[in-house]
Amino acid sequence: MNSATDVVRDAGGEPLAYYEEEHREGVRWAQDLCPAEGAPLAAVAERVVVDLAGWGATTQALLGRALAERGASLEREFDTYTHALRESSKPPEPVRLPEKLAPFAAQAVDPQTLRAA
């Protein structure tokens, strides 16, 4: 069971997806839209485009693609986090990478390789 408060259900009343309802700039929004365990992705997408027509949604890539195949428009969302080191009361903890991993300069990686990942 998902902790989300709202549910998209199939015709028989079975849960297909869960989400938290929000409003963004006057638009109803299905935040964290995720399929119910075992629900076929195609069935979820079919029902979401009907039940939540006109809504925005934040979801994982696979469901996003399935929705786009049914007419939804895609928009990438991301967050940027910063930390003002000079204003910090204590320095950040050093990053400890798992064994067998090592840092390297971002310029050392081909951007197409990152995009594919």
Side-chain angles (χ1 to χ4, degrees), residues 6-117:
D6 295 295
V7 182
V8 174
R9 297 182 184 277
D10 67 14
E14 292 298 313
L16 287 174
Y18 300 97
Y19 64 95
E20 294 284 344
E21 183 176 348
E22 294 183 359
H23 290 83
R24 295 186 182 183
E25 299 177 13
V27 175
R28 292 175 79 183
W29 202 271
Q31 179 66 31
D32 296 327
L33 177 64
C34 63
E37 188 174 329
L41 204 54
V44 173
E46 289 290 335
R47 191 61 179 215
V48 166
V49 297
V50 172
D51 288 4
L52 305 182
W55 288 46
T58 304
T59 190
Q60 59 207 200
L62 288 176
L63 181 52
R65 279 190 218 110
L67 292 168
E69 289 170 1
R70 289 156 181 82
S73 58
L74 294 177
E75 181 177 311
R76 185 175 296 260
E77 180 180 282
F78 62 90
D79 295 306
T80 301
Y81 297 93
T82 62
H83 183 76
L85 295 175
R86 288 194 173 117
E87 297 171 17
S88 180
S89 60
K90 67 178 195 171
E93 293 292 319
V95 174
R96 298 197 194 323
L97 293 174
E99 204 173 300
K100 298 183 181 180
L101 291 181
F104 57 89
Q107 297 86 345
V109 179
D110 173 35
Q112 293 301 324
T113 303
L114 290 175
R115 188 171 287 118

